[in-house]
Amino acid sequence: RLEANASSVYFLTPKHTNYVVPSYFPPSFVLSSIERKRSETALHPPIFLVMGGFSQKKKRNVVSLVNAMRENSAKDFVVRFMGGTSSGASNESMANLLRETFADDYRKIQLIPRVEADEFMEQVGRVDAILPLVDEGIFHWNQGYQNGSKLTSSVMWGLGFRKKMVLYKPLAELFGVVEDNSTYFLHGQSTRWLVAFTEAFGRCLDFMLQHPGA
């Protein structure tokens, strides 16, 4: 298989080990995705997406999402996880991990199996908001994103497909993103109870519930 044997080939989706962070998205594809998403808005509650590997603490702070979901458990929404190849885990093991992590809210969790590039872009287009789940512990960590020396492709996909995002302020500044409380919802450093992220997540969710399709 190409992705297994061609070490000089780089891909645009995190299904593959040699993964290039994309910076350009064809306007025609993005616009058609936006129109399709608007037509589907009334069919389902707001959908958040967590992209790439989520079993490694240096990539995502999944625990922050546990608290945010618990605080907003009475509201209607879905969180989809679309796993990448970096975790080296099977779909079954990832499903078990999510079931254990979100034991109280697992009915709101969905796992998208690893997909090819075209289906990957289709899945991104179907969601309302993207959650990089990068906070101060990961952003500033030498084994994490090293104060922005390493990039998270989740933000690039969010910008490219014009998705709402909940972002740690220094991460947002790295990409030139400014809070507007309609597309970008920023948060500062969290306390041990992850209050800052939970509050920003709640603002984003409330906006989507109050302005479906916006």
Side-chain angles (χ1 to χ4, degrees):
R1 297 180 61 186
L2 181 62
E3 60 263 38
N5 301 315
S7 60
S8 62
V9 175
Y10 288 78
F11 299 86
L12 294 179
T13 66
K15 174 184 176 181
H16 310 281
T17 302
N18 292 344
Y19 172 45
V20 177
V21 176
S23 60
Y24 174 78
F25 300 84
S28 60
F29 190 94
V30 173
L31 291 175
S32 63
S33 173
I34 291 173
E35 290 303 315
R36 184 172 58 253
K37 180 68 186 67
R38 285 174 178 167
S39 68
E40 297 175 350
T41 297
L43 303 178
H44 56 70
I47 301 173
F48 293 91
L49 177 65
V50 180
M51 303 170 61
F54 51 84
S55 62
Q56 297 173 309
K57 293 182 179 180
K58 65 181 180 180
K59 293 289 186 180
R60 310 273 180 271
N61 184 358
V62 177
V63 174
S64 64
L65 183 55
V66 174
N67 188 68
M69 290 183 65
R70 183 180 298 119
E71 290 296 315
N72 292 277
S73 60
K75 301 171 185 176
D76 194 15
F77 65 94
V78 170
V79 178
R80 287 180 180 167
F81 284 79
M82 189 155 59
T85 190
S86 60
S87 65
S90 66
N91 288 324
E92 181 180 1
S93 62
M94 287 191 291
N96 290 336
L97 175 61
L98 291 175
R99 190 175 290 106
E100 293 173 2
T101 304
F102 297 95
D104 296 335
D105 294 285
Y106 189 67
R107 62 186 177 82
K108 294 182 178 179
I109 297 294
Q110 296 177 357
L111 174 63
I112 304 298
R114 295 190 182 96
V115 294
E116 298 299 335
D118 55 347
E119 177 63 17
F120 187 95
M121 289 187 281
E122 289 282 350
Q123 290 292 344
V124 174
R126 292 188 184 117
V127 305
D128 299 284
I130 289 178
L131 301 173
L133 299 184
V134 175
D135 59 15
E136 68 273 11
I138 299 173
F139 184 80
H140 302 293
W141 189 25
N142 285 337
Q143 296 184 45
Y145 291 97
Q146 302 175 1
N147 292 305
S149 295
K150 292 184 178 181
L151 300 178
T152 169
S153 61
S154 295
V155 178
M156 295 303 297
W157 283 96
L159 293 173
F161 276 78
R162 306 179 191 178
K163 297 299 180 181
K164 293 175 175 52
M165 289 188 283
V166 180
L167 296 168
Y168 177 51
K169 287 180 180 178
L171 176 63
E173 292 170 0
L174 186 66
F175 288 90
V177 171
V178 178
E179 182 167 58
D180 59 9
N181 284 315
S182 60
T183 304
Y184 307 122
F185 302 80
L186 309 188
H187 66 89
Q189 293 192 10
S190 296
T191 65
R192 62 177 294 194
W193 301 114
L194 306 168
V195 172
F197 173 81
T198 297
E199 188 273 336
F201 177 93
R203 278 189 285 121
C204 181
L205 175 58
D206 288 343
F207 180 88
M208 292 191 290
L209 290 171
Q210 293 166 13
H211 304 87

